[in-house]
Each structure stands twice: as structure tokens, then as C-alpha cells.
Amino acid sequence: MMVSYVSALLYVAGGIVVVGMALLVAFQEKLVYVPVLPGFTKSYPITPERLRLLYEDVWLTSSDGVRLHAWFIKLLPDCRGTISRELSPSLLTTDIAHRLEMVRIMLQRLQCNVFMLSYRGYGASDGFPSQHGITRTPRCLPSSHFVSLVFLSFAALDHLVQSKDIDTSRIVVFGRSLGGAVGAVLTKNNPDKVAALMLENTFTSILDMAGVLLPFLKWFIGKSSSKGPRILNFLVRSPWNTIDIISEIKQPIIFLSGLQDEMVPPSHMEMLYAKAAAHNRQCLFVEFPTGMHMDTWLAGGDYYWRTIKEFLEKTVPDKKDTDSSRRGKFSQRQSDLLGSGV
């Protein structure tokens, strides 16, 4: 009887492994990349023009010939009086049409330019998303634009640093969720081009997220939180091991964590911060108690924008600012937070 019971358990375990392998091989890209959000269409529901934003259509071509679509949204001249756009920071992002309302407020609160790019397979961009494809560099570039803060893509970064009419020393990468994983790699690989990194609700790795999305897989796959032998790790084509990359980044990093995140466990952001802070003294961790995965910027309200603005002012200051105490330093409030490990 005992032998039969053990045999049955082995068959069940074997079946779970087989099912898990089949799911990973067949559907893993659909779990990692979501070009179309539920309830939306792949076409852009709104454009910058509808929000009366000054913008430019930009098309990049990757090294394998895939065309990528971007919007360069410029700070309106009357937003900063006599201060020119060329001296303002700028941001680059993905999933662009669904973030326009955030970008509109971002321009107002942070006084920056924004470069938004759709990953391959997202929005109007051609191709299919993959880690290998997203990290390709562009083969050809359009004419130069203004810029300085950035929401991510390798192609977009190369486009920005070749611009002649922006302050390329003030390029900052901003990434949420998958964008944070891409942003970490981008920042780590370009220490001379990226001045700082902003991560919001980002996961430690896709290997760990597999166990979050499909709980039974946590016994067979994982990076930081696996409870089993991790025998399925080799099947993951887009691992995005942010937990490994983050400790190699030397630039300032701010971690923005929504504690009500329903997709990525907030513990992932805590682990990323701990790993980064062990090697980088310029790390700041900020929690937003009511923030969910996509609305932390909204739930955080004024505190969210003030925190980011102060971080940017201290880490990528305007060159016109001659006060040496402001350059490359955190405020006393930030220093206190860093010292206390918050």
C-alpha cells in the first residue's frame, strides 16, 4: 500500500513538472509581455495632441530592421519662462498611450521633457517582444531632438545621446514593472550616458514572478524566492534578472514602492533596494501605502511628485546652479532616510 502511495505521489509530481514545462515553453512570452492591456486595443486610444501636448513622432530602426515608434513630448516654452527646454531633464517610457495623463502631470510637476517609446510588438512598433530584441541597439536614427530624463529602451537612449540640443549629462531612466528591469540593464551598461535610475513596482526577476503568476511553479523555478531545485530555470527565455543587475549600478537610484501592488509583491522592491544599497550609497527607498501597480503615481499624490523632484534636483542638478552644496548630494531628509534604512 505504501509503495502505491509513493508511486502516486511521484506520478503527480512528474505531471506537475511536465505541465509546468509545457506552460513555460508555450506561453511564457504571453506571461511576461502584455502588448495590449485588458479592455484596450493595440491602437493608441489617445495621442499627445488630444491632451494639447507639444510632441513629435519619432521612428527608430533596430539592428535587425524592426521599426520602433516613439513620441518625444516637449516642455512647453511658457512652462519655464525664460529657461529653455535644452536645460530641462527628460523622460523615456513604454506602453506610451496609456501613460499620457501621467506624462502630462509629469511635465508640469517635474518640468522635464519626455521621450516615450513602444517596445517591439507594443503600440505602433513592429515585431514581437523578447529580452534579446528589446536590448538591441538602433541601426539608424532620425534627426536630433531636445532631451535629458528618460523612460527606457536601448534604441531610445542611443537616439538621445546623439542629440545636439539637449543636456545629455542629465539623462535619467524611469521604469515601472518590466520597464524597471529594462531600465536597470540600460543604466548598468551605460554609466557614462545615464545619470540616475528611477524604479517603480519592479520585480526581482521573471524567474521569481513565475511562481507569483503560477504558484505551483515556485517549487521548480525561481531566482531569489524558489523553495525547490529550480530545475525549470533553463526554460525561461526572458529571465530579466534585475536582482543581479541592481548591485552593479553605481548611479543614484530611487525605489518607488506601492504597498498595495496587486501584481508584483512589494517584497520584490525591498529585496532590490537591499541588494543595491549594499553596494551603492546613493539609494533611496520610498513607500506609498495606498499605491497599486499602475496607480502609485496617482495614489501618492503631491508626496510622490515632491519626492521625485527633490531626488532629481540633488542627483542631476541644473548646470546653472552654482551652489556646490546642491551638486550630487541628497537633502538632509533623504540622508536621514538612507541612514535609517527606510
Side-chain angles (χ1 to χ4, degrees):
M1 177 68 70
M2 180 61 69
V3 174
S4 298
Y5 180 71
V6 172
S7 297
L9 286 178
L10 290 175
Y11 278 121
V12 170
I16 291 175
V17 171
V18 170
V19 171
M21 292 178 65
L23 287 172
L24 283 173
V25 172
F27 302 112
Q28 61 181 272
E29 275 79 16
K30 294 185 179 297
L31 295 174
V32 176
Y33 307 105
V34 186
V36 182
L37 295 174
F40 292 91
T41 61
K42 192 171 185 293
S43 59
Y44 299 133
I46 59 175
T47 65
E49 185 176 13
R50 284 188 57 183
L51 296 181
R52 298 183 179 180
L53 299 174
L54 179 65
Y55 81 107
E56 212 177 305
D57 262 323
V58 179
W59 286 92
L60 306 174
T61 304
S62 67
S63 57
D64 59 348
V66 174
R67 297 178 74 240
L68 305 174
H69 179 243
W71 287 329
F72 180 62
I73 302 177
K74 304 173 183 179
L75 187 65
L76 291 172
D78 59 356
C79 289
R80 288 182 62 97
T82 59
I83 301 178
S84 67
R85 289 192 299 261
E86 292 89 335
L87 299 177
S88 305
S90 311
L91 295 174
L92 161 75
T93 185
T94 56
D95 188 22
I96 60 182
H98 308 301
R99 298 193 180 180
L100 280 175
E101 182 58 30
M102 176 187 178
V103 168
R104 184 182 66 81
I105 298 175
M106 181 179 290
L107 266 68
Q108 296 173 351
R109 298 300 300 266
L110 302 183
Q111 296 294 287
C112 64
N113 303 303
V114 178
F115 194 99
M116 311 176 70
L117 182 139
S118 287
Y119 292 138
R120 55 179 62 205
Y122 284 65
S125 294
D126 297 334
F128 300 93
S130 69
Q131 182 169 340
H132 176 69
I134 289 173
T135 55
R136 283 181 177 270
T137 54
R139 182 177 64 190
C140 62
L141 299 169
S143 59
S144 62
H145 302 275
F146 313 99
V147 178
S148 295
L149 264 178
V150 199
F151 263 114
L152 54 168
S153 166
F154 286 70
L157 178 61
D158 278 2
H159 168 66
L160 295 180
V161 297
Q162 294 189 35
S163 297
K164 303 299 183 182
D165 45 10
I166 68 163
D167 183 354
T168 56
S169 69
R170 303 181 70 203
I171 294 178
V172 178
V173 170
F174 179 94
R176 176 189 296 143
S177 193
L178 173 63
V182 181
V185 177
L186 182 65
T187 303
K188 178 254 182 181
N189 289 345
N190 296 276
D192 58 332
K193 299 176 182 177
V194 177
L197 174 64
M198 297 162 52
L199 295 182
E200 182 177 313
N201 299 336
T202 297
F203 46 77
T204 54
S205 73
I206 289 298
L207 299 174
D208 290 334
M209 282 302 295
V212 173
L213 298 173
L214 300 172
F216 70 88
L217 286 179
K218 66 184 178 182
W219 296 97
F220 308 101
I221 188 171
K223 180 67 181 179
S224 306
S225 57
S226 174
K227 299 180 179 180
R230 307 179 183 181
I231 59 177
L232 301 182
N233 281 11
F234 74 97
L235 293 174
V236 179
R237 292 186 286 267
S238 293
W240 292 114
N241 288 319
T242 312
I243 194 69
D244 290 337
I245 297 297
I246 202 72
S247 63
E248 301 181 50
I249 295 175
K250 306 304 180 185
Q251 300 95 313
I253 311 172
I254 184 171
F255 297 81
L256 306 166
S257 179
L259 298 186
Q260 302 303 315
D261 193 329
E262 73 284 9
M263 294 183 64
V264 178
S267 60
H268 283 222
M269 285 289 284
E270 294 174 4
M271 286 188 282
L272 289 174
Y273 169 71
K275 189 70 175 289
H279 303 272
N280 184 346
R281 295 177 62 85
Q282 301 183 90
C283 294
L284 178 64
F285 185 84
V286 186
E287 294 180 334
F288 300 91
T290 60
M292 299 180 70
H293 189 66
M294 297 297 290
D295 78 345
T296 296
W297 64 275
L298 190 59
D302 182 64
Y303 177 60
Y304 178 91
W305 296 112
R306 284 191 291 106
T307 299
I308 294 177
K309 186 173 183 179
E310 186 174 353
F311 172 78
L312 295 176
E313 288 176 346
K314 303 305 177 183
T315 57
V316 286
D318 191 326
K319 286 183 177 180
K320 283 191 172 183
D321 185 355
T322 57
D323 182 355
S324 60
S325 67
R326 292 171 58 86
R327 293 182 179 275
K329 297 180 180 180
F330 289 93
S331 66
Q332 185 61 48
R333 181 174 70 85
Q334 289 175 313
S335 298
D336 291 341
L337 287 172
L338 290 171
S340 64
V342 176

